Amino acid sequence: MTGGTRYWDRLGAHPEPGGTRFAVWAPNARRVQVTGDFDGWDPHRAADLNRDDWSGCWHGFAEGAGQWDRYKYRVLGADGVWRLKADPVAFHSETPPSDASRIFASSYHWQDADWLKARRETAGEHASLPMTVYEVHLPSWRRGRSYWDLASELVDYVQRHGFTHVEFLPVTEHPYGGSWGYQSTGFFAPTSRLGQPDDLRYLVDRLHQAEIGVLVDWVPAHFPRDPWALARFDGTALYEHPDPRRGEHPDWGSLIFDFGRWEVRDFLIGSALYWIEEFHADGLRVDAVSSMLHLDYSRGPGQWEPNIYGGTENLEAASLLRSLNDEIHSRHPGVVMIAEESAAWPGVTRPTAEGGLGFDLKWNMGWMNDTLRYVERDPIHRSHHHRDLTQPSTYAFSEKYLLPLSHDEVVHGKGSLAGKQPGGRDEQVRGLRGLLAYQWAFPGKKLLFMGGEFGQRAEWSEERGLDWPDADEAERRGLTRLIADANARYREHPALWIRDADPLGTRWLNSDSGANLLAFARFGEYEDGTALVCVANFSGVQVRDYRIGMPWPGTWREVLNTDAAGYGGSGAGNLGAVTAVDEPWSGEAASARVTVGAGAVVWLAGRHSALSSASA
């Protein structure tokens, strides 16, 4: 960002007494006008804008133009063609399929100062803070709800279930609802499908007042070709890279930003800051980072151009991401930056000063793929694929991770999260209870897409939304109670999150392929003497009095048992606790015998008396 100014203050539409001031970047245009409701959309009455030769921006004032008026720019391109274009920096838009921009100035008064102050105080601590994220596609969570409705219903729902954060699939304006927001045309405008921008501000404010963080999906990788939007904005490849080997996406039919052009970098970093400063987002999940970083992404021989060193790395995109993270961390300490990166780029969460990309967290796609591949198998066959279960332990600390069970895993014929589990409905719900408790105990932050918390039967469709009768059934079965309890126990036991990025904070205790069983310990701070042991039985039968190694002898309380009768399970368990005795086992100083129901997970919490008394 140049000069420390806010990008959106320099460009876009800004109402003033008597009219509105407009500014748009179109360096190669021959002429630019603004037209709209205020002139009856009459091209003969459109207001001419004046060109600034140094910046390539066009500025002007339209008398009578004011709040809520629709408008577009009339751009005479370098190719001699007039185009009617929406504002790239519009703050509000018509509801699709209409596509004009709207003049809008916010009048919202925020009530979340305490939340923002507390957020600043957590700067640099994301890896050691609790985070369980409920991922939401706002238009289909409950169909027909507005931002205003969601500020009551969604906030209450997330609070009752105990999640620390919500993550919105992209809320930037987009022409095609089936893209879920990942094909954005309005990088500064919330989708008007659910209301006006201040209604979204109210939703975020209400979440903050309920002590729930807000993450927003943000998509700088590409944009659609719609002729009224960014594509060939001034008659040239302006926002997109001019070389189709870098400027066109072979999978998505979209255009790729020219990441090396400083004006485009300014636009993208300005957009990211806009959602943080204007909508108080607590973090951005940056979509499709792998597609940005690799010049040969989804391209065959001859379809991509090497970088200046002959490699496949997109050096300009990597530079943009480093600048983005540095800018956000310096301006907004405490905001979390999360990368969806699946191609093992080195140092995604390493600081930029050390050669990394500077993200705070990265989606652990390997954990997701390995674990789902394992649980989708019938329990009788899992013993032959035990490596799928144990493989994630080998890379669990290679980055600072978030474990995603996201929207991508419940669409396009993949089935629902519950439907991936083998067996009938009872077995599927049982398996889902175990999977979620296992995810919550495994090192890394957590993310769950809506519907997973109640075991929706059908895979997700944005047109249908969630099947809320399945939620009523889950309530009766106890599945929703398990989610609330798992979130509560998770927050109560820092061992489950305070050393997520520390390899010494987790120890693998037992791995038995024949029994489809895995056990590991999570440790609290070095001197507080606390630990939580997770015992996961992925077999189809109960294991009784199974001996596992334990970090130390003593009483270990059973703080969660997914097979408890209250969750719809068989009631198999350990009567509230197990006793670890001073008998070494599998390399551990102590051992205990545990009972774990079929497909169930048990959490056992213990405190080492010598360590805890020493720290006291």
Side-chain angles (χ1 to χ4, degrees):
M1 298 288 286
T2 57
T5 59
R6 306 196 311 173
Y7 185 88
W8 57 98
D9 286 341
R10 293 186 274 125
L11 293 154
H14 298 272
E16 295 179 355
T20 295
R21 172 173 51 88
F22 293 91
V24 63
W25 179 54
N28 304 301
R30 299 181 184 178
R31 188 178 178 189
V32 178
Q33 299 176 320
V34 62
T35 185
D37 291 335
F38 44 87
D39 62 15
W41 295 92
D42 183 351
H44 300 292
R45 297 170 56 201
D48 277 299
L49 304 186
N50 300 310
R51 188 180 192 278
D52 178 352
D53 290 336
W54 179 82
S55 67
C57 293
W58 297 73
H59 303 265
F61 186 82
E63 293 185 0
Q67 185 89 331
W68 307 113
D69 278 353
R70 297 174 301 157
Y71 72 98
K72 280 190 175 182
Y73 294 112
R74 295 187 73 242
V75 181
L76 178 59
D79 53 3
V81 176
W82 280 100
R83 294 172 173 85
L84 203 57
K85 290 284 193 176
D87 190 346
V89 192
F91 308 126
H92 191 24
S93 298
E94 281 191 289
T95 302
S98 299
D99 53 33
S101 304
R102 284 191 183 274
I103 299 171
F104 180 82
S106 175
S107 60
Y108 190 77
H109 298 288
W110 290 91
Q111 305 294 319
D112 63 350
D114 290 343
W115 172 269
L116 297 182
K117 179 177 181 293
R119 188 183 76 185
R120 287 192 296 271
E121 293 171 352
T122 66
E125 298 179 6
H126 297 110
S128 59
L129 294 173
M131 179 181 284
T132 60
V133 182
Y134 185 60
E135 189 189 30
V136 184
H137 179 253
L138 289 174
S140 68
W141 182 72
R142 283 191 183 271
R143 294 197 60 80
R145 273 28 175 211
S146 65
Y147 294 129
W148 196 266
D149 298 327
L150 293 166
S152 174
E153 297 179 29
L154 179 63
V155 172
D156 177 67
Y157 187 85
V158 174
Q159 196 170 35
R160 282 191 288 112
H161 285 76
F163 290 92
T164 66
H165 291 72
V166 293
E167 180 179 317
F168 299 155
L169 269 64
V171 292
T172 44
E173 194 60 271
H174 51 284
Y176 175 49
S179 77
W180 316 327
Y182 290 100
Q183 296 257 11
S184 177
T185 50
F187 284 77
F188 294 79
T191 180
S192 57
R193 292 170 174 85
L194 305 182
Q196 53 106 338
D198 279 355
D199 293 342
L200 176 58
R201 287 179 170 91
Y202 177 63
L203 169 57
V204 175
D205 206 355
R206 285 291 308 275
L207 285 161
H208 284 172
Q209 291 170 44
E211 298 187 343
I212 298 166
V214 178
L215 310 175
V216 177
D217 268 20
W218 182 67
V219 189
H222 63 124
F223 59 92
R225 297 173 180 265
D226 298 74
W228 49 267
L230 296 179
R232 295 192 67 82
F233 190 82
D234 64 357
T236 68
L238 187 64
Y239 289 91
E240 63 269 40
H241 197 288
D243 186 336
R245 293 173 297 175
R246 290 199 181 193
E248 298 181 6
H249 202 291
D251 289 347
W252 304 323
S254 52
L255 299 175
I256 300 171
F257 284 103
D258 187 349
F259 300 120
R261 186 166 188 167
W262 72 263
E263 298 98 335
V264 173
R265 293 164 65 97
D266 231 15
F267 173 84
L268 289 172
I269 294 175
S271 169
L273 286 166
Y274 182 78
W275 294 99
I276 294 166
E277 295 187 14
E278 290 290 331
F279 288 90
H280 290 200
D282 300 295
L284 301 179
R285 179 266 195 183
V286 183
D287 180 66
V289 169
S290 295
S291 76
M292 298 173 65
L293 290 172
H294 297 276
L295 296 169
D296 60 344
Y297 187 90
S298 289
R299 298 178 189 274
Q303 297 177 332
W304 59 279
E305 179 193 27
N307 62 34
I308 58 174
Y309 303 109
T312 63
E313 301 84 1
N314 190 324
L315 304 178
E316 293 83 4
S319 172
L320 166 68
L321 293 171
R322 292 186 182 100
S323 296
L324 167 73
N325 288 323
D326 284 345
E327 191 83 23
I328 287 176
H329 288 141
S330 65
R331 288 178 180 240
H332 300 285
V335 166
V336 58
M337 296 296 291
I338 305 170
E340 185 215 14
E341 197 282 321
S342 57
W345 183 278
V348 171
T349 58
R350 190 184 306 143
T352 58
E354 299 174 12
L357 292 182
F359 284 95
D360 298 291
L361 297 169
K362 169 182 167 174
W363 274 25
N364 192 334
M365 310 295 279
W367 174 89
M368 177 273 297
N369 284 315
D370 288 341
T371 303
L372 290 183
R373 186 167 54 246
Y374 178 82
V375 300
E376 286 172 357
R377 301 182 187 278
D378 190 284
I380 199 170
H381 301 303
R382 287 175 180 168
S383 63
H384 302 293
H385 303 275
H386 196 66
R387 189 173 182 274
D388 287 338
L389 187 62
T390 59
Q391 179 71 9
S393 68
T394 65
Y395 54 78
F397 307 102
S398 58
E399 298 275 4
K400 297 173 183 176
Y401 281 123
L402 180 148
L403 313 179
L405 292 176
S406 75
H407 64 281
D408 280 331
E409 311 318 316
V410 293
V411 291
H412 303 320
K414 296 179 184 178
S416 69
L417 205 55
K420 296 178 188 296
Q421 310 286 331
R425 180 62 175 171
D426 287 343
E427 288 79 15
Q428 289 179 337
V429 172
R430 181 184 71 189
L432 182 57
R433 292 196 307 262
L435 170 62
L436 295 178
Y438 175 71
Q439 177 191 14
W440 256 234
F442 199 90
K445 312 309 176 187
K446 329 296 175 188
L447 179 141
L448 180 66
F449 184 59
M450 64 184 196
E453 79 280 8
F454 60 73
Q456 172 155 315
R457 298 168 187 256
E459 74 173 24
W460 172 61
S461 161
E462 81 283 349
E463 295 181 353
R464 188 183 68 250
L466 296 184
D467 297 329
W468 288 101
D470 287 349
D472 296 335
E473 180 215 26
E475 187 72 36
R476 294 192 298 273
R477 286 177 175 268
L479 178 57
T480 52
R481 189 178 310 121
L482 169 69
I483 293 295
D485 286 353
N487 273 323
R489 301 296 90 75
Y490 171 83
R491 291 203 205 204
E492 291 168 5
H493 293 276
L496 289 174
W497 41 265
I498 202 164
R499 295 171 68 185
D500 268 334
D502 178 3
L504 299 179
T506 300
R507 195 153 75 231
W508 314 100
L509 303 176
N510 284 74
S511 178
D512 186 338
S513 61
N516 296 343
L517 187 139
L518 186 70
F520 54 88
R522 303 293 309 280
F523 296 96
E525 293 187 275
Y526 289 96
E527 295 181 354
D528 72 356
T530 61
L532 187 140
V533 168
C534 173
V535 187
N537 173 20
F538 287 104
S539 76
V541 297
Q542 179 188 134
V543 294
R544 295 184 59 84
D545 296 326
Y546 185 95
R547 191 177 182 187
I548 64 171
M550 297 290 279
W552 55 75
T555 300
W556 292 75
R557 293 182 299 114
E558 186 181 80
V559 297
L560 190 77
N561 178 357
T562 68
D563 200 37
Y567 303 141
S570 71
N574 300 279
L575 300 177
V578 302
T579 300
V581 296
D582 196 7
E583 295 179 12
W585 187 259
S586 63
E588 296 298 320
S591 58
R593 295 190 176 275
V594 299
T595 294
V596 188
V601 168
V602 168
W603 293 357
L604 304 168
R607 179 180 292 272
H608 194 295
S609 57
L611 289 176
S612 58
S613 60
S615 62

